Amino acid sequence: MDHNRRNFIKKLGWVAGGLAATGLKCQAGKIFPREKMKLSFEPYNLQLRHTFTLANSSRNSTPVMLTKIEYGGMVGYGEASMPPYLGETRETAARFLSGTDLSQFNDPFRIEEILEYVDSLAPENRAAKASVDIALHDLTGKLIQMPWYKVWGLSSEDTPNTSFTIGIDTPEVVRQKVKEASRFKILKVKLGRENDREIIKTIRSVTNVPLCVDVNEGWTDKQKALDMIWWLKEKRIEFVEQPMPGKDREGLAWLTENSPLPVIADEPVQRLPDLKKAAGVYSGINIKLMKCTGMREAYKMIILAKALGLKVMIGCMTETSCAVSAAAQLSPLAQWADLDGNLLITNDPYKGVQVIDGKITLNNKPGIGIEKR
Ligand code: MG
Protein backbone atom coordinates (compact mmCIF):
# COMPACT_ATOMS: atom_id res chain seq x y z
CA MET A 1 0.00 0.00 0.00
CA ASP A 2 1.53 3.34 -0.99
CA HIS A 3 1.86 6.22 1.43
CA ASN A 4 -1.05 8.32 -0.01
CA ARG A 5 -3.48 5.42 0.14
CA ARG A 6 -2.51 4.61 3.75
CA ASN A 7 -3.01 8.27 4.67
CA PHE A 8 -6.45 8.35 3.02
CA ILE A 9 -7.64 5.26 4.94
CA LYS A 10 -6.31 6.76 8.17
CA LYS A 11 -8.29 9.99 7.52
CA LEU A 12 -11.47 7.99 6.85
CA GLY A 13 -11.00 6.41 10.26
CA TRP A 14 -10.78 9.86 11.88
CA VAL A 15 -14.00 10.97 10.17
CA ALA A 16 -15.85 7.85 11.35
CA GLY A 17 -14.49 8.34 14.87
CA GLY A 18 -15.54 12.00 14.79
CA LEU A 19 -19.09 11.10 13.74
CA ALA A 20 -19.33 8.59 16.56
CA ALA A 21 -18.01 11.16 19.05
CA THR A 22 -20.61 13.79 17.99
CA GLY A 23 -23.43 11.31 18.49
CA LEU A 24 -24.46 11.42 14.82
CA LYS A 25 -23.72 7.73 14.44
CA CYS A 26 -25.92 7.04 17.44
CA GLN A 27 -28.79 9.10 15.90
CA ALA A 28 -28.30 7.41 12.54
CA GLY A 29 -28.35 4.02 14.24
CA LYS A 30 -31.84 4.84 15.47
CA ILE A 31 -33.04 5.76 11.98
CA PHE A 32 -32.45 2.41 10.36
CA PRO A 33 -34.14 -0.15 12.64
CA ARG A 34 -37.58 -1.06 11.34
CA GLU A 35 -39.31 1.01 13.97
CA LYS A 36 -42.79 2.45 13.48
CA MET A 37 -43.88 6.04 13.89
CA LYS A 38 -46.54 6.75 16.49
CA LEU A 39 -48.94 9.68 16.05
CA SER A 40 -50.96 10.98 19.00
CA PHE A 41 -53.04 14.11 19.63
CA GLU A 42 -54.82 16.08 22.35
CA PRO A 43 -57.27 19.01 22.24
CA TYR A 44 -56.27 22.35 23.75
CA ASN A 45 -57.99 25.73 24.07
CA LEU A 46 -56.06 28.95 23.44
CA GLN A 47 -57.10 31.88 25.65
CA LEU A 48 -56.89 35.22 23.83
CA ARG A 49 -55.45 38.31 25.53
CA HIS A 50 -58.07 40.56 23.92
CA THR A 51 -61.43 39.77 22.31
CA PHE A 52 -60.62 39.21 18.63
CA THR A 53 -62.99 41.06 16.28
CA LEU A 54 -63.19 40.51 12.51
CA ALA A 55 -65.57 42.13 10.01
CA ASN A 56 -68.38 39.66 10.88
CA SER A 57 -67.50 37.97 14.19
CA SER A 58 -65.64 38.14 17.51
CA ARG A 59 -64.29 35.56 19.97
CA ASN A 60 -62.21 35.04 23.18
CA SER A 61 -60.63 31.63 22.55
CA THR A 62 -59.45 29.40 19.69
CA PRO A 63 -59.63 25.58 19.69
CA VAL A 64 -56.45 23.77 18.64
CA MET A 65 -55.23 20.18 18.45
CA LEU A 66 -51.70 19.47 19.65
CA THR A 67 -50.01 16.51 17.93
CA LYS A 68 -46.93 14.38 18.59
CA ILE A 69 -45.04 11.90 16.43
CA GLU A 70 -42.75 9.56 18.38
CA TYR A 71 -39.93 7.67 16.71
CA GLY A 72 -36.42 6.57 17.63
CA GLY A 73 -36.68 7.96 21.16
CA MET A 74 -37.49 11.42 19.72
CA VAL A 75 -40.72 13.43 19.77
CA GLY A 76 -41.81 15.83 17.02
CA TYR A 77 -44.50 18.36 17.92
CA GLY A 78 -47.26 19.71 15.69
CA GLU A 79 -50.45 21.73 15.90
CA ALA A 80 -53.74 22.35 14.12
CA SER A 81 -55.32 25.73 14.81
CA MET A 82 -59.03 25.93 14.02
CA PRO A 83 -60.62 29.37 14.13
CA PRO A 84 -64.38 28.75 13.62
CA TYR A 85 -64.68 30.51 10.23
CA LEU A 86 -62.37 27.94 8.59
CA GLY A 87 -64.80 25.05 9.04
CA GLU A 88 -62.57 22.65 10.99
CA THR A 89 -63.29 21.66 14.59
CA ARG A 90 -61.61 19.52 17.22
CA GLU A 91 -64.10 16.79 16.29
CA THR A 92 -63.22 16.83 12.57
CA ALA A 93 -59.50 16.97 13.43
CA ALA A 94 -59.83 14.07 15.91
CA ARG A 95 -61.65 11.99 13.30
CA PHE A 96 -59.02 12.77 10.66
CA LEU A 97 -56.05 12.08 12.95
CA SER A 98 -57.60 8.83 14.28
CA GLY A 99 -57.72 7.61 10.69
CA THR A 100 -54.11 8.59 9.97
CA ASP A 101 -51.96 5.47 10.30
CA LEU A 102 -48.27 6.39 10.31
CA SER A 103 -47.28 2.96 11.63
CA GLN A 104 -47.06 1.75 8.02
CA PHE A 105 -43.97 3.97 7.56
CA ASN A 106 -40.69 3.01 9.18
CA ASP A 107 -38.61 5.87 7.74
CA PRO A 108 -39.73 9.40 8.74
CA PHE A 109 -37.42 10.92 6.09
CA ARG A 110 -39.74 9.77 3.30
CA ILE A 111 -41.59 13.02 3.97
CA GLU A 112 -42.97 13.43 0.45
CA GLU A 113 -44.48 9.95 0.43
CA ILE A 114 -45.87 10.21 3.97
CA LEU A 115 -47.50 13.59 3.35
CA GLU A 116 -48.94 12.45 0.03
CA TYR A 117 -50.62 9.63 1.96
CA VAL A 118 -51.90 12.08 4.62
CA ASP A 119 -53.25 14.43 1.93
CA SER A 120 -55.02 11.56 0.15
CA LEU A 121 -57.07 10.65 3.24
CA ALA A 122 -59.63 13.46 2.79
CA PRO A 123 -60.12 16.44 0.47
CA GLU A 124 -60.11 19.14 3.20
CA ASN A 125 -58.93 18.95 6.87
CA ARG A 126 -56.06 21.29 6.01
CA ALA A 127 -55.22 22.29 9.59
CA ALA A 128 -55.28 18.64 10.72
CA LYS A 129 -52.93 17.77 7.83
CA ALA A 130 -50.65 20.65 8.86
CA SER A 131 -50.47 19.23 12.39
CA VAL A 132 -48.97 16.01 10.98
CA ASP A 133 -46.65 17.89 8.60
CA ILE A 134 -45.29 20.13 11.37
CA ALA A 135 -44.72 17.22 13.78
CA LEU A 136 -42.94 15.26 11.02
CA HIS A 137 -40.65 18.21 10.21
CA ASP A 138 -39.92 18.73 13.91
CA LEU A 139 -39.12 15.02 14.31
CA THR A 140 -36.84 14.73 11.26
CA GLY A 141 -35.05 17.96 12.13
CA LYS A 142 -34.38 16.58 15.60
CA LEU A 143 -33.14 13.26 14.21
CA ILE A 144 -30.46 15.07 12.15
CA GLN A 145 -30.02 17.76 14.84
CA MET A 146 -30.73 20.64 12.42
CA PRO A 147 -33.26 23.47 12.42
CA TRP A 148 -35.32 23.46 9.22
CA TYR A 149 -34.27 26.94 8.06
CA LYS A 150 -30.73 25.55 7.90
CA VAL A 151 -31.83 22.41 6.05
CA TRP A 152 -33.40 24.77 3.47
CA GLY A 153 -30.14 26.73 3.25
CA LEU A 154 -31.53 29.94 4.74
CA SER A 155 -29.90 32.53 6.98
CA SER A 156 -31.39 33.55 10.31
CA GLU A 157 -30.23 37.11 9.52
CA ASP A 158 -32.74 37.37 6.65
CA THR A 159 -35.89 37.09 8.76
CA PRO A 160 -38.34 40.00 8.34
CA ASN A 161 -39.97 42.08 11.05
CA THR A 162 -43.32 40.64 12.03
CA SER A 163 -46.42 42.77 11.99
CA PHE A 164 -48.58 42.87 15.09
CA THR A 165 -52.35 43.03 14.73
CA ILE A 166 -54.24 45.83 16.41
CA GLY A 167 -57.79 44.49 16.81
CA ILE A 168 -60.87 46.57 16.03
CA ASP A 169 -62.04 48.45 19.15
CA THR A 170 -63.06 51.86 20.51
CA PRO A 171 -60.61 54.73 19.69
CA GLU A 172 -59.47 54.84 23.29
CA VAL A 173 -58.67 51.10 23.43
CA VAL A 174 -57.03 51.21 19.97
CA ARG A 175 -54.71 54.03 21.14
CA GLN A 176 -53.85 51.98 24.24
CA LYS A 177 -53.16 48.83 22.18
CA VAL A 178 -50.89 50.78 19.81
CA LYS A 179 -48.88 52.12 22.74
CA GLU A 180 -48.50 48.59 24.15
CA ALA A 181 -47.21 47.44 20.74
CA SER A 182 -44.32 49.92 20.61
CA ARG A 183 -41.69 47.16 20.17
CA PHE A 184 -43.11 46.24 16.73
CA LYS A 185 -41.76 47.88 13.57
CA ILE A 186 -44.93 47.29 11.55
CA LEU A 187 -48.56 47.07 12.68
CA LYS A 188 -51.49 45.36 10.98
CA VAL A 189 -54.98 46.79 11.11
CA LYS A 190 -58.22 45.05 10.18
CA LEU A 191 -60.44 47.23 8.01
CA GLY A 192 -63.61 46.60 6.01
CA ARG A 193 -66.22 48.30 8.17
CA GLU A 194 -67.87 51.73 8.13
CA ASN A 195 -65.19 53.51 10.18
CA ASP A 196 -62.00 52.58 8.24
CA ARG A 197 -60.66 56.14 7.95
CA GLU A 198 -61.41 56.87 11.59
CA ILE A 199 -59.42 53.78 12.70
CA ILE A 200 -56.38 54.78 10.61
CA LYS A 201 -56.56 58.38 11.86
CA THR A 202 -56.77 57.13 15.46
CA ILE A 203 -53.65 54.98 15.00
CA ARG A 204 -51.80 57.74 13.18
CA SER A 205 -52.55 60.08 16.11
CA VAL A 206 -50.29 57.93 18.32
CA THR A 207 -47.69 56.35 16.01
CA ASN A 208 -45.80 56.79 12.74
CA VAL A 209 -44.65 53.15 12.31
CA PRO A 210 -45.46 51.53 8.95
CA LEU A 211 -48.92 49.94 8.82
CA CYS A 212 -50.46 47.27 6.65
CA VAL A 213 -54.18 46.69 6.38
CA ASP A 214 -56.27 43.54 6.00
CA VAL A 215 -59.75 44.13 4.61
CA ASN A 216 -60.84 40.45 4.73
CA GLU A 217 -62.87 40.88 1.50
CA GLY A 218 -64.79 43.77 3.11
CA TRP A 219 -64.90 46.27 0.19
CA THR A 220 -67.13 45.57 -2.80
CA ASP A 221 -66.85 48.62 -5.10
CA LYS A 222 -63.54 48.65 -7.00
CA GLN A 223 -63.46 52.42 -7.59
CA LYS A 224 -64.16 53.15 -3.92
CA ALA A 225 -61.49 50.58 -3.02
CA LEU A 226 -58.95 52.35 -5.26
CA ASP A 227 -59.81 55.78 -3.79
CA MET A 228 -59.35 54.31 -0.32
CA ILE A 229 -55.98 52.78 -1.27
CA TRP A 230 -54.72 56.17 -2.56
CA TRP A 231 -55.81 57.70 0.76
CA LEU A 232 -54.07 54.85 2.66
CA LYS A 233 -50.85 55.44 0.71
CA GLU A 234 -50.74 59.02 2.04
CA LYS A 235 -51.07 57.55 5.55
CA ARG A 236 -47.93 55.39 5.05
CA ILE A 237 -49.63 52.04 4.59
CA GLU A 238 -47.31 49.38 3.06
CA PHE A 239 -49.79 46.99 1.45
CA VAL A 240 -53.45 45.99 1.37
CA GLU A 241 -54.54 42.43 2.06
CA GLN A 242 -57.64 40.98 0.36
CA PRO A 243 -59.45 44.28 -0.29
CA MET A 244 -62.39 42.69 -2.15
CA PRO A 245 -64.06 39.26 -2.32
CA GLY A 246 -61.86 36.67 -4.03
CA LYS A 247 -64.61 35.76 -6.46
CA ASP A 248 -64.41 39.22 -8.08
CA ARG A 249 -61.25 38.35 -10.01
CA GLU A 250 -61.80 40.99 -12.68
CA GLY A 251 -62.29 43.74 -10.11
CA LEU A 252 -59.23 42.62 -8.18
CA ALA A 253 -57.04 42.44 -11.30
CA TRP A 254 -58.11 46.00 -12.21
CA LEU A 255 -57.46 47.17 -8.65
CA THR A 256 -53.98 45.58 -8.54
CA GLU A 257 -53.07 47.13 -11.90
CA ASN A 258 -54.09 50.61 -10.77
CA SER A 259 -53.18 50.42 -7.09
CA PRO A 260 -50.20 52.42 -5.79
CA LEU A 261 -49.79 49.77 -3.05
CA PRO A 262 -49.22 45.98 -3.38
CA VAL A 263 -52.46 43.96 -3.19
CA ILE A 264 -51.98 40.68 -1.32
CA ALA A 265 -54.24 37.61 -1.61
CA ASP A 266 -55.33 35.71 1.48
CA GLU A 267 -58.74 33.99 1.57
CA PRO A 268 -58.87 32.71 -2.07
CA VAL A 269 -55.28 31.41 -2.12
CA GLN A 270 -55.04 28.33 0.06
CA ARG A 271 -52.85 25.71 -1.59
CA LEU A 272 -50.24 25.26 -4.31
CA PRO A 273 -52.64 24.97 -7.30
CA ASP A 274 -54.32 28.28 -6.31
CA LEU A 275 -51.16 30.16 -7.30
CA LYS A 276 -51.96 29.80 -11.00
CA LYS A 277 -55.13 31.81 -10.39
CA ALA A 278 -53.34 34.45 -8.29
CA ALA A 279 -50.80 35.47 -10.94
CA GLY A 280 -52.05 38.56 -12.81
CA VAL A 281 -54.76 39.22 -10.21
CA TYR A 282 -52.68 40.07 -7.13
CA SER A 283 -49.20 41.47 -6.39
CA GLY A 284 -48.51 38.80 -3.79
CA ILE A 285 -49.89 36.07 -1.55
CA ASN A 286 -50.24 35.41 2.16
CA ILE A 287 -49.16 31.82 2.88
CA LYS A 288 -50.35 30.16 6.10
CA LEU A 289 -49.52 26.65 7.24
CA MET A 290 -53.12 26.02 8.36
CA LYS A 291 -54.41 26.87 4.87
CA CYS A 292 -51.84 24.97 2.81
CA THR A 293 -51.39 21.75 4.90
CA GLY A 294 -48.01 22.60 6.36
CA MET A 295 -44.34 23.46 5.91
CA ARG A 296 -43.64 21.28 2.90
CA GLU A 297 -46.37 22.71 0.71
CA ALA A 298 -45.68 26.24 2.01
CA TYR A 299 -42.06 25.89 0.84
CA LYS A 300 -43.21 24.76 -2.61
CA MET A 301 -45.68 27.67 -2.77
CA ILE A 302 -42.95 30.19 -1.96
CA ILE A 303 -40.69 28.88 -4.73
CA LEU A 304 -43.54 28.92 -7.28
CA ALA A 305 -44.76 32.38 -6.15
CA LYS A 306 -41.27 33.79 -6.77
CA ALA A 307 -41.18 32.17 -10.21
CA LEU A 308 -44.55 33.78 -11.02
CA GLY A 309 -43.35 37.20 -9.84
CA LEU A 310 -45.62 37.23 -6.78
CA LYS A 311 -44.47 38.75 -3.51
CA VAL A 312 -44.60 36.49 -0.47
CA MET A 313 -46.00 37.12 2.97
CA ILE A 314 -46.05 34.40 5.62
CA GLY A 315 -48.92 34.55 8.09
CA CYS A 316 -50.62 32.51 10.79
CA MET A 317 -53.83 31.97 12.76
CA THR A 318 -54.08 32.30 16.53
CA GLU A 319 -51.56 29.57 17.32
CA THR A 320 -49.10 28.42 19.97
CA SER A 321 -45.34 28.87 19.51
CA CYS A 322 -45.39 25.44 17.85
CA ALA A 323 -47.06 26.37 14.54
CA VAL A 324 -45.66 29.92 14.64
CA SER A 325 -42.07 28.62 15.03
CA ALA A 326 -42.70 26.17 12.17
CA ALA A 327 -43.80 29.02 9.87
CA ALA A 328 -40.88 31.14 11.06
CA GLN A 329 -38.44 28.56 9.62
CA LEU A 330 -39.60 29.76 6.17
CA SER A 331 -39.68 33.47 7.01
CA PRO A 332 -36.22 34.31 5.57
CA LEU A 333 -37.84 33.71 2.14
CA ALA A 334 -40.71 36.18 2.75
CA GLN A 335 -40.88 39.96 2.20
CA TRP A 336 -43.37 40.29 5.03
CA ALA A 337 -44.33 38.19 8.03
CA ASP A 338 -47.44 38.29 10.12
CA LEU A 339 -46.41 35.81 12.81
CA ASP A 340 -47.93 37.24 15.95
CA GLY A 341 -50.45 34.44 16.70
CA ASN A 342 -48.55 33.16 19.75
CA LEU A 343 -48.27 36.69 21.17
CA LEU A 344 -52.05 37.05 21.25
CA ILE A 345 -52.59 34.18 23.74
CA THR A 346 -52.03 33.80 27.49
CA ASN A 347 -51.50 30.01 27.76
CA ASP A 348 -48.76 29.08 25.25
CA PRO A 349 -47.50 25.57 26.18
CA TYR A 350 -44.28 25.99 24.14
CA LYS A 351 -41.26 28.28 23.92
CA GLY A 352 -39.84 28.87 20.43
CA VAL A 353 -39.14 31.67 17.99
CA GLN A 354 -38.93 35.12 19.57
CA VAL A 355 -39.64 38.63 18.42
CA ILE A 356 -36.67 40.83 19.32
CA ASP A 357 -36.84 44.50 18.38
CA GLY A 358 -39.77 43.70 16.13
CA LYS A 359 -37.77 41.09 14.15
CA ILE A 360 -38.46 37.37 13.98
CA THR A 361 -35.50 35.78 15.73
CA LEU A 362 -34.80 32.12 15.01
CA ASN A 363 -32.85 29.96 17.43
CA ASN A 364 -30.39 27.13 16.83
CA LYS A 365 -32.55 24.35 18.23
CA PRO A 366 -33.24 21.42 15.87
CA GLY A 367 -36.52 20.79 14.06
CA ILE A 368 -38.90 23.75 14.41
CA GLY A 369 -36.94 25.11 17.38
CA ILE A 370 -39.39 24.68 20.25
CA GLU A 371 -39.39 23.20 23.73
CA LYS A 372 -42.18 22.58 26.24
CA ARG A 373 -42.63 25.24 28.91
MG1 MG B 1 -55.87 38.04 6.06
Side-chain angles (χ1 to χ4, degrees):
M1 199 184 294
D2 66 37
H3 175 73
N4 281 346
R5 201 172 148 80
R6 249 197 325 267
N7 244 349
F8 177 69
I9 288 169
K10 203 161 130 196
K11 275 181 188 158
L12 269 185
W14 288 341
V15 171
L19 281 178
T22 59
L24 274 175
K25 191 178 169 220
C26 160
Q27 298 290 357
K30 284 177 178 169
I31 291 166
F32 294 113
R34 296 211 161 262
E35 194 178 333
K36 290 176 174 172
M37 278 185 277
K38 187 175 157 246
L39 172 69
S40 57
F41 55 91
E42 61 170 322
Y44 192 70
N45 208 31
L46 305 181
Q47 303 300 333
L48 307 185
R49 256 177 231 286
H50 296 284
T51 304
F52 191 70
T53 306
L54 285 173
N56 307 311
S57 62
S58 61
R59 63 180 201 274
N60 291 307
S61 68
T62 301
V64 301
M65 193 66 96
L66 302 178
T67 56
K68 271 197 296 196
I69 300 179
E70 290 165 76
Y71 176 90
M74 289 277 179
V75 183
Y77 296 104
E79 174 183 7
S81 170
M82 295 162 292
Y85 60 91
L86 289 181
E88 285 183 76
T89 62
R90 279 190 293 229
E91 290 69 38
T92 62
R95 213 175 307 135
F96 180 85
L97 294 168
S98 304
T100 304
D101 177 20
L102 296 188
S103 71
Q104 60 187 297
F105 300 101
N106 53 29
D107 180 356
F109 288 92
R110 290 162 79 159
I111 299 174
E112 191 74 26
E113 188 185 333
I114 296 167
L115 294 179
E116 241 173 62
Y117 155 75
V118 172
D119 198 21
S120 74
L121 292 172
E124 289 293 330
N125 299 91
R126 284 175 274 123
K129 287 172 184 174
S131 75
V132 181
D133 167 286
I134 296 168
L136 189 59
H137 279 84
D138 193 35
L139 172 72
T140 46
K142 281 172 175 164
L143 287 166
I144 56 169
Q145 288 294 299
M146 284 273 265
W148 267 93
Y149 73 87
K150 285 196 179 175
V151 176
W152 279 319
L154 307 175
S155 161
S156 58
E157 284 162 30
D158 294 338
T159 56
N161 291 324
T162 180
S163 55
F164 182 78
T165 299
I166 302 295
I168 298 172
D169 221 311
T170 61
E172 199 179 309
V173 177
V174 166
R175 274 194 288 271
Q176 187 54 38
K177 283 181 180 173
V178 171
K179 279 182 194 158
E180 284 169 19
S182 61
R183 70 187 171 114
F184 295 94
K185 303 280 188 270
I186 176 166
L187 298 178
K188 178 167 171 174
V189 188
K190 298 278 190 181
L191 297 186
R193 308 214 293 187
E194 293 306 306
N195 56 347
D196 287 351
R197 284 174 206 243
E198 187 192 322
I199 291 174
I200 298 294
K201 281 182 193 162
T202 303
I203 293 175
R204 275 289 170 253
S205 73
V206 280
T207 183
N208 263 324
V209 294
L211 298 178
C212 53
V213 303
D214 187 354
V215 188
N216 292 111
E217 309 189 304
W219 300 335
T220 46
D221 183 297
K222 67 179 182 184
Q223 187 59 57
K224 274 193 196 157
L226 185 61
D227 294 345
M228 187 65 189
I229 292 176
W230 276 104
W231 184 83
L232 289 170
K233 183 179 161 58
E234 282 170 24
K235 301 289 177 209
R236 252 186 106 207
I237 279 43
E238 287 214 348
F239 63 84
V240 179
E241 198 178 318
Q242 206 59 52
M244 301 201 299
K247 61 179 191 299
D248 185 5
R249 289 170 49 77
E250 235 171 80
L252 279 158
W254 177 86
L255 191 62
T256 299
E257 204 182 316
N258 293 288
S259 169
L261 299 176
V263 175
I264 308 299
D266 184 5
E267 284 83 350
V269 176
Q270 312 271 340
R271 299 196 58 179
L272 188 59
D274 298 328
L275 282 188
K276 282 187 290 192
K277 296 179 279 174
V281 177
Y282 299 93
S283 332
I285 54 163
N286 184 354
I287 297 174
K288 296 176 186 167
L289 301 189
M290 297 302 142
K291 290 196 297 183
C292 75
T293 72
M295 297 167 73
R296 191 156 185 88
E297 187 150 323
Y299 181 78
K300 292 177 184 175
M301 286 178 80
I302 293 173
I303 303 305
L304 181 58
K306 286 176 186 265
L308 292 170
L310 290 162
K311 297 180 197 307
V312 171
M313 168 182 178
I314 186 137
C316 64
M317 310 293 173
T318 315
E319 294 166 358
T320 73
S321 286
C322 176
V324 167
S325 301
Q329 303 293 316
L330 291 156
S331 68
L333 288 167
Q335 265 105 343
W336 300 292
D338 182 28
L339 295 178
D340 62 351
N342 57 335
L343 308 173
L344 306 173
I345 61 172
T346 56
N347 59 342
D348 192 344
Y350 301 105
K351 246 167 60 182
V353 64
Q354 306 235 313
V355 177
I356 299 176
D357 247 345
K359 185 177 151 78
I360 292 171
T361 307
L362 294 160
N363 58 47
N364 244 332
K365 295 191 190 98
I368 58 171
I370 61 165
E371 56 189 44
K372 280 206 141 179
R373 269 181 205 277

